[in-house]
């Protein structure tokens, strides 16, 4: 691990993989819950974890860089199921990339348990990991100017669901009616780091 100071009371911790970032995030949340870590925000990303509003950042930088990244803990959170119609316009392209029939894309995707690694891009957008490497796909060569809300998409190692209409270059394989971001809900985001997710085919998918 490498710890970089950010301002007076924040620390950016770099690790070597997304799995290590998830494990470190879980460990830091555990320490904050037990009262051994005083920090305002713990924000995971692809290969980093940001600690913002951190008491004694220099001490924590030395402690974290001298420690081993912990194992990913067993997931105790409730499993969220998202109904999905596998009707996306890029379903055929993904099937061709995987070298399988289109129905196999739905079977593999719906048969995978995902974990939200981190959030970003737009409020409520989670980057979900879980698909084996052979099912990773590239982004589209030409991004769309508008992807509809609820679009279920793939890019690289990630699955994501667009919480609102926005430009995007991910491969669209399905649609869900589930609301991912609702400012009137507490919390507003349905998905947060560490959440377990499964996609459930509906509509004859």
């Amino acid at each position: 691990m490498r710890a970089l100071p950010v301002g007076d009371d924040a620390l950016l911790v770099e690790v070597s993989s997304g799995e290590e970032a998830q494990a470190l995030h879980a460990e830091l949340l555990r320490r904050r819950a037990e009262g051994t870590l005083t920090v305002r925000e713990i924000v995971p990303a692809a290969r980093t974890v940001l600690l913002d509003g951190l008491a004694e950042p220099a001490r924590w930088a030395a402690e974290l860089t001298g420690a081993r990244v912990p194992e990913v803990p067993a997931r105790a959170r409730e499993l969220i199921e998202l109904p999905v119609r596998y009707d996306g316009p890029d379903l055929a392209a993904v099937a061709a990339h995987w070298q399988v029939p289109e129905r196999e894309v739905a079977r593999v995707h719906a048969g995978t348990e995902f974990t939200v690694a981190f959030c970003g891009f737009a409020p409520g957008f989670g980057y979900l990991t879980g698909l084996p490497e052979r099912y990773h796909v590239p982004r589209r060569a030409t991004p769309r100017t508008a992807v509809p809300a609820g679009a279920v998409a793939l890019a690289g190692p990630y699955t994501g669901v667009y919480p609102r209409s926005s430009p995007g270059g991910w491969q669209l394989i399905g649609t869900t009616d589930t609301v991912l971001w609702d400012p009137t809900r507490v919390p507003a985001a349905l998905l947060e780091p560490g959440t377990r997710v499964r996609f459930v085919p509906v509509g004859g998918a």
Side-chain angles (χ1 to χ4, degrees), residues 15-107:
V15 292
S16 61
S17 69
E19 291 76 14
E20 289 187 354
Q22 292 178 50
L24 179 61
H25 176 244
E27 172 64 13
L28 294 172
L29 289 176
R30 185 190 67 78
R31 294 191 187 192
R32 182 170 67 175
E34 71 180 13
T36 58
L37 171 64
T38 302
V39 62
R40 184 170 59 248
E41 296 286 346
I42 305 173
V43 184
R47 295 186 179 182
T48 62
V49 179
L50 175 69
L51 293 91
D52 188 32
L54 177 66
E56 301 180 280
R59 180 178 74 83
W60 278 103
E63 179 171 333
L64 290 173
T65 54
R68 181 180 63 85
V69 177
E71 297 294 326
V72 178
R75 297 297 180 191
R77 294 192 180 188
E78 180 182 359
L79 177 69
I80 289 180
E81 294 187 340
L82 299 179
V84 57
R85 298 180 297 278
Y86 285 98
D87 58 1
D90 298 321
L91 189 63
V94 170
H97 186 81
W98 288 6
Q99 298 182 328
V100 299
E102 289 184 26
R103 64 180 179 276
E104 182 71 1
V105 175
R107 189 193 69 79

Side-chain angles (χ1 to χ4, degrees), residues 105-126:
V105 175
R107 189 193 69 79
V108 169
H109 192 259
T112 301
E113 181 176 303
F114 294 89
T115 300
V116 181
F118 57 96
C119 298
F121 169 63
F125 188 94

